[in-house]
Amino acid sequence: MADKLKLKVTFKRVFVKKSSDWFGSGEFYFIASVDGKTVGDKSHIFDAREGAWIDLPAAKWSAEVDVTTKAQVVVRFNGKDQDTFFDEDLGSLAYAHKPAWKQGLYHGDTEYFRLEYTVELLVDGKYGQHAPDAVFACRATNGNGACTTVSGVPIVARIEVHPVRPVPAAVPPRGLPAGQPVAAVENKGGTVVNPTDPINVIPNPSVIPILSAPGGAAPAAGAPPVADKTNCARIEVTFYRPDTLKFTDTDPRLVWSVRPIAGGAVSFLGAPNGLKVWVYGTAAGEVALELRFRGELMATYRVLVMKVKQVPCRFNILNGPTANSKPRSTPADILNHLAITNRYMRQIALELVLDTNPSHKDGAVPTTTPGIFRISVAKGVTRNANSGVADFKATRLNYRPGVMNFAYTHSDSGGALGAATDIPASKVAPAAPGARPRISDSGTPSTSWIPPTGVAPDGAAGTVNMDLIAPIQRHGHPKLFAMFVCDSNGDPTTAAGMQNYANTISHEFGHILNLGHRVEGPNAAGTGLVAGGIFFDGLTIPLTENIMHWNGPATLCQDFDIIQARAVHQSPLVPP
Amino acid sequence: MTEERSEERRRLLQSLKADARSDDPTLHAQVAKRVTDAEVLGTLDSEADYANAATFRLRVSQVLEALATNPSPSAHDAFVSLTTDEAFIADDDRTLALVRTSQHIRPPPPPLVDFWDRYCQPEDGFTPTTIKVLLDNGTEPAIGLLEKKFADPAHEDGEKVAWMRMDVLRHRNDVLVLQASQRLLEGELAEPLRPDLVEVLFDYKPEVWYRPAVSASPPELSTASPAALDALHALGIVALTMVRLTDEQRAAVRLRLDQVEKLRGF
């Protein structure tokens, strides 16, 4: 529902050109109306001296009008000079104000006086003479806001909250008018993720985590942590135009609200206003966050609401016998890589936590960090190792059944930065024996804004289907879930290196959770590697920004989307 | 690194590559000598470069490549001299670079075959690359050594299956590879591995063979030479008559034999 549109007409003052009386000053009085309603006080007689102004008390000489449905507002003003026998008419003025409503100082003249009056428009709850590009009225039409400024200038406003970060270069049609482009404000970049960043550092996740409401008693054991700005989902506007709107992060003109879908419920932490809001879940399901400007729905952000699930994991550092057959990563580096990985995984409500079970085998030696071990191995097990071998030794050593097992190795003979080697079957059943499991998502906007997106003027969103990876389990190890990560990710201690390691881990862990490649191979269609697309998830959007892109860089491939979030929570590795 | 040092490195690399590409035997010998010098090696690739050698190729590998791709016998002699140079092969990353670039040396002289053999031992950190190089080299001595490696029980069966699915597959139209495969099926390949070799030569099952980060694809049968088609046909007969195959594997062999016969106009 659009905001009410209101304006205020104030008769400010009257300049006496001629008093009409032969001697001395005149005795003027005025009869005024705005939109047919009397304004002012005609019994108030003003002393009218030629060449002087008569100030009209604003309290009595102004009127507000709800113009939401008005085609015009007529302002009338009639002056009279009181006389002994009969009052002399000093002339009448009438002006019709019509949409687009314009603020301003108006004047009109008769032979005897000049009238000055103002029209003020109600903007953000205030009358006054606003900046000329302040928006007075807005009407959502075909995904955009057909707005008028207080100066009466029409503008087309658009606001987007894209679910993919970084925002892909190709966005759905915006339906903006042709001609001279209007400057826009974009918030579309990737995120430099550091291990000490808040867990919610990546904005616009596909899942809002369920957290305990702040302000109450301390959460009970096992309950989610209390929501604060470091753990809530950060939802951010990614695009708006024109830039003259100058929205701020906490702008009261932008009003967010929640529309439950499928049982989901969320609350805002802080005011639900502005370009950026913090949201935490209170009930699992799905919601739409709606963003309104001037009361008009301008953008919708669809998101799942889930508890954050913890996946226990252990790490084995495989050291060869020579200096250059040892991975450079130390347990401290691994903790940093794990921390960054968890900032990626937060988007889909997952968290890898070190498995504290101390059992070990295969010559593994526990480090001082529970869950991280070192193993001395033959050179070829860790250096230039052949991960094409079905019973790949590096990821089998010292594994613990049922938890996620990571092996840090020196290098892979095929040049891989890392690879998932042991992938359990998703709980999503395939449609037919031998077929790959498939998962679907419906809703508006579509997951990753895959066309048709449902973001007007684009067409209504349809159902998106995504193919999952079939299980890959080596013989005799049904509970082995594993991947390796190589030294070729770079210096494990630098910011760029750490993000590379974490990105590789997130990607390969995605495979272990049955996610396929989002865009696979270098061909123009973006589909299908040489192996015939067997690890392709069937979707080609976003082109490069998804973490499951087959080979994109960590600075770009950072996103998990709604359909992937649905899929990963069907892995047997993820607790129910 | 200072700009000066960087420029010195660039000049040194350019000069070594130019000499390696030349047709002057003296320069080839000098290149081989220079890249065994610790100072030259240190200028070409810093300690940090060696630490990142798994990510980025060493610069010295560009010099090796220039020697290996030079058709001149003296360039190949210079290259091969490095395979026994203790200083050069003291570092695993340089040795790996040597293995990788040696694929271009055709025909490989016996010392190079010896080098390949030395760097194709179980769990040595070189074998997967050496196997790939043997197949990419594709000459009789290279494929002969490959055959030997397939027959060597010291290498685990799982490793051999991976060689088949990654490397033999890409060369399954090569006559020498097909002939070697036939000999392996008829003789020295461990029996449990024979159906795997047949499968790789006659079928393609990426969904069973590969993981998300590792895959390969075979050449089109239509690109095979008549001699290769003949070799594949003969191999198919051997597979059907001598190898214990599943029904699915037999069907794959028969299907491919039909395709071969069509292409050969039988």
Side-chain angles (χ1 to χ4, degrees):
Chain A
M1 185 74 178
D3 289 348
K4 292 264 187 204
L5 302 180
K6 289 184 177 178
L7 58 74
K8 183 161 87 171
V9 175
T10 303
F11 297 101
K12 305 288 282 185
R13 58 185 184 166
V14 174
F15 182 74
V16 181
K17 293 178 175 175
K18 279 204 290 189
S19 70
S20 91
D21 284 354
W22 287 98
F23 302 104
S25 56
E27 290 84 37
F28 282 12
Y29 68 94
F30 306 109
I31 302 163
S33 69
V34 174
D35 196 34
K37 289 184 182 158
T38 302
V39 176
D41 178 6
K42 70 176 185 179
S43 64
H44 189 141
I45 306 298
F46 296 94
D47 182 25
R49 284 176 291 169
E50 276 187 16
W53 286 97
I54 299 169
D55 290 323
L56 303 175
K60 279 195 172 171
W61 291 88
S62 62
E64 288 181 44
V65 185
D66 182 342
V67 293
T68 310
T69 57
K70 297 272 184 199
Q72 67 171 12
V73 171
V74 177
V75 174
R76 295 180 191 282
F77 193 86
N78 173 222
K80 299 272 190 186
D81 186 9
Q82 192 181 48
D83 219 334
T84 312
F85 303 107
F86 59 90
D87 296 345
E88 188 171 356
D89 190 275
L90 303 175
S92 293
L93 300 168
Y95 299 97
H97 292 264
K98 298 180 179 179
W101 310 103
K102 286 169 73 171
Q103 67 177 15
L105 174 66
Y106 297 85
H107 59 81
D109 289 275
T110 70
E111 184 185 348
Y112 295 95
F113 65 90
R114 159 171 281 208
L115 167 69
E116 273 188 12
Y117 71 97
T118 58
V119 174
E120 296 169 79
L121 305 181
L122 185 68
V123 175
D124 302 323
K126 288 180 192 160
Y127 287 111
Q129 296 300 321
H130 304 284
D133 50 14
V135 170
F136 171 59
C138 202
R139 183 169 47 84
T141 169
N142 211 17
N144 293 320
C147 304
T148 50
T149 67
V150 292
S151 314
V153 177
I155 58 169
V156 177
R158 185 173 180 83
I159 303 176
E160 293 175 359
V161 187
H162 203 295
V164 178
R165 287 295 296 265
V167 177
V171 291
R174 287 178 165 149
L176 297 170
Q180 190 72 18
V182 171
V185 175
E186 295 189 89
N187 170 27
K188 62 180 183 180
T191 309
V192 176
V193 189
N194 291 299
T196 52
D197 284 334
I199 193 76
N200 60 357
V201 64
I202 298 178
N204 296 3
S206 52
V207 179
I208 291 175
I210 292 179
L211 299 170
S212 298
V226 174
D228 62 36
K229 286 199 172 179
T230 67
N231 61 14
C232 284
R234 292 170 50 205
I235 310 296
E236 298 183 357
V237 168
T238 53
F239 170 95
Y240 75 84
R241 72 165 328 251
D243 64 347
T244 51
L245 290 169
K246 293 186 175 64
F247 289 131
T248 64
D249 286 357
T250 55
D251 205 307
R253 293 173 294 169
L254 294 174
V255 180
W256 296 77
S257 59
V258 181
R259 177 166 51 83
I261 308 170
V266 299
S267 292
F268 291 93
L269 185 77
N273 299 107
L275 293 171
K276 298 177 180 178
V277 286
W278 283 261
V279 193
Y280 64 95
T282 54
E286 188 177 336
V287 297
L289 302 177
E290 296 183 333
L291 178 57
R292 287 180 166 76
F293 171 53
R294 299 280 179 255
E296 290 289 301
L297 180 61
M298 298 292 287
T300 301
Y301 189 82
R302 186 166 66 94
V303 61
L304 306 181
V305 187
M306 291 179 171
K307 276 187 183 167
V308 177
K309 304 286 175 61
Q310 293 190 326
V311 178
C313 63
R314 72 161 43 180
F315 290 82
N316 292 300
I317 303 172
L318 272 54
N319 289 326
T322 57
N324 58 5
S325 59
K326 288 180 170 63
R328 283 171 287 181
S329 297
T330 64
D333 296 327
I334 289 175
L335 291 178
N336 285 334
H337 305 164
L338 182 60
I340 297 177
T341 300
N342 278 333
R343 279 140 185 81
Y344 288 123
M345 305 315 292
R346 182 71 168 194
Q347 297 176 81
I348 46 176
L350 291 181
E351 182 184 12
L352 285 160
V353 292
L354 284 172
D355 172 32
T356 51
N357 185 302
S359 64
H360 54 281
K361 57 187 178 183
D362 301 323
V365 177
T367 67
T368 52
T369 306
I372 304 182
F373 303 81
R374 288 186 190 276
I375 314 176
S376 293
V377 296
K379 196 193 285 181
V381 175
T382 186
R383 183 188 160 85
N384 204 36
N386 188 350
S387 61
V389 176
D391 188 17
F392 184 55
K393 196 179 279 183
T395 49
R396 175 170 41 84
L397 296 174
N398 192 40
Y399 83 87
R400 204 164 89 76
V403 308
M404 181 58 211
N405 295 273
F406 294 95
Y408 268 64
T409 66
H410 179 273
S411 51
D412 172 68
S413 64
L417 300 177
T421 58
D422 299 86
I423 302 171
S426 168
K427 290 180 213 161
V428 178
R436 289 169 62 191
R438 172 172 278 197
I439 197 158
S440 299
D441 175 72
S442 302
T444 301
S446 62
T447 184
S448 276
W449 285 16
I450 291 170
T453 61
V455 179
D458 201 11
T463 296
V464 174
N465 296 310
M466 183 178 79
D467 293 325
L468 303 182
I469 286 185
I472 299 174
Q473 298 256 231
R474 67 185 88 189
H475 184 69
H477 300 275
K479 288 281 188 182
L480 169 55
F481 314 133
M483 63 163 283
F484 67 91
V485 56
C486 293
D487 218 45
S488 45
N489 283 280
D491 185 336
T493 63
T494 63
M498 286 191 282
Q499 194 160 351
N500 278 346
Y501 279 87
N503 200 260
T504 299
I505 291 172
S506 300
H507 176 103
E508 299 304 331
F509 184 46
H511 284 320
I512 286 164
L513 301 172
N514 303 105
L515 297 183
H517 286 140
R518 178 67 57 88
V519 176
E520 187 176 73
N523 56 336
T527 59
L529 264 182
V530 284
I534 52 172
F535 302 116
F536 174 43
D537 75 3
L539 302 172
T540 56
I541 289 179
L543 195 57
T544 47
E545 289 78 7
N546 196 277
I547 284 181
M548 299 312 295
H549 184 270
W550 73 295
N551 75 345
T555 48
L556 204 55
C557 303
Q558 302 189 340
D559 193 70
F560 281 120
D561 68 3
I562 287 179
I563 196 166
Q564 290 172 320
R566 290 193 193 284
V568 298
H569 283 263
Q570 296 298 314
S571 166
L573 255 174
V574 177
Chain B
M1 162 171 289
T2 63
E3 211 169 292
E4 211 172 296
R5 181 85 172 146
S6 171
E7 180 58 21
E8 184 190 351
R9 166 182 290 174
R10 195 187 64 79
R11 279 197 195 142
L12 175 62
L13 180 61
Q14 292 310 317
S15 128
L16 286 166
K17 281 163 70 176
D19 289 354
R21 285 178 186 140
S22 75
D23 52 9
D24 184 342
T26 317
L27 289 179
H28 299 155
Q30 279 178 10
V31 168
K33 192 151 190 264
R34 287 169 73 193
V35 296
T36 60
D37 180 86
E39 199 179 322
V40 169
L41 288 170
T43 305
L44 278 177
D45 295 290
S46 66
E47 271 184 39
D49 293 327
Y50 278 92
N52 285 310
T55 316
F56 307 106
R57 290 175 65 194
L58 294 175
R59 287 180 192 83
V60 73
S61 69
Q62 295 179 44
V63 181
L64 300 177
E65 181 111 19
L67 278 177
T69 53
N70 186 331
S72 152
S74 59
H76 288 187
D77 288 346
F79 181 96
V80 172
S81 73
L82 293 170
T83 64
T84 51
D85 187 283
E86 302 250 322
F88 191 85
I89 59 175
D91 181 86
D92 283 350
D93 289 306
R94 283 200 299 271
T95 307
L96 198 58
L98 207 51
V99 174
R100 281 193 184 118
T101 50
S102 65
Q103 64 167 300
H104 303 293
I105 309 283
R106 294 187 186 89
L112 180 56
V113 179
D114 290 345
F115 171 70
W116 285 337
D117 193 13
R118 281 201 307 282
Y119 288 95
C120 195
Q121 302 300 321
E123 296 190 338
D124 65 354
F126 297 96
T127 296
T129 304
T130 310
I131 293 292
K132 178 179 180 298
V133 163
L134 294 180
L135 278 148
D136 289 346
N137 182 271
T139 59
E140 221 161 291
I143 300 304
L145 180 59
L146 177 77
E147 220 175 314
K148 198 177 128 192
K149 294 296 170 187
F150 267 114
D152 183 354
H155 290 284
E156 289 181 9
D157 285 359
E159 296 277 343
K160 292 173 185 169
V161 172
W163 303 344
M164 292 175 194
R165 292 173 179 176
M166 290 305 298
D167 302 311
V168 173
L169 178 89
R170 292 184 298 110
H171 291 278
R172 71 182 192 181
N173 281 355
D174 296 4
V175 174
L176 291 179
V177 171
L178 291 166
Q179 290 171 343
S181 297
Q182 184 169 337
R183 287 192 296 275
L184 282 166
L185 290 180
E186 288 171 335
E188 294 198 62
L189 187 65
E191 232 176 288
L193 292 175
R194 293 179 189 179
D196 292 301
L197 182 56
V198 171
E199 208 169 54
V200 157
L201 298 171
F202 288 88
D203 205 351
Y204 181 53
K205 301 165 83 173
E207 68 282 4
V208 177
W209 296 346
Y210 303 127
R211 294 175 172 131
V214 186
S215 62
S217 57
E220 293 290 331
L221 184 63
S222 58
T223 64
S225 67
L229 291 173
D230 288 348
L232 185 60
H233 196 271
L235 186 56
I237 303 301
V238 168
L240 288 174
T241 54
M242 296 180 64
V243 182
R244 201 168 294 159
L245 300 173
T246 64
D247 289 347
E248 189 188 351
Q249 288 165 337
R250 297 182 83 79
V253 174
R254 287 205 182 95
L255 177 67
R256 198 139 178 96
L257 285 179
D258 285 349
Q259 293 166 343
V260 169
E261 285 168 9
K262 267 187 199 150
L263 286 167
R264 293 294 286 135
F266 291 164

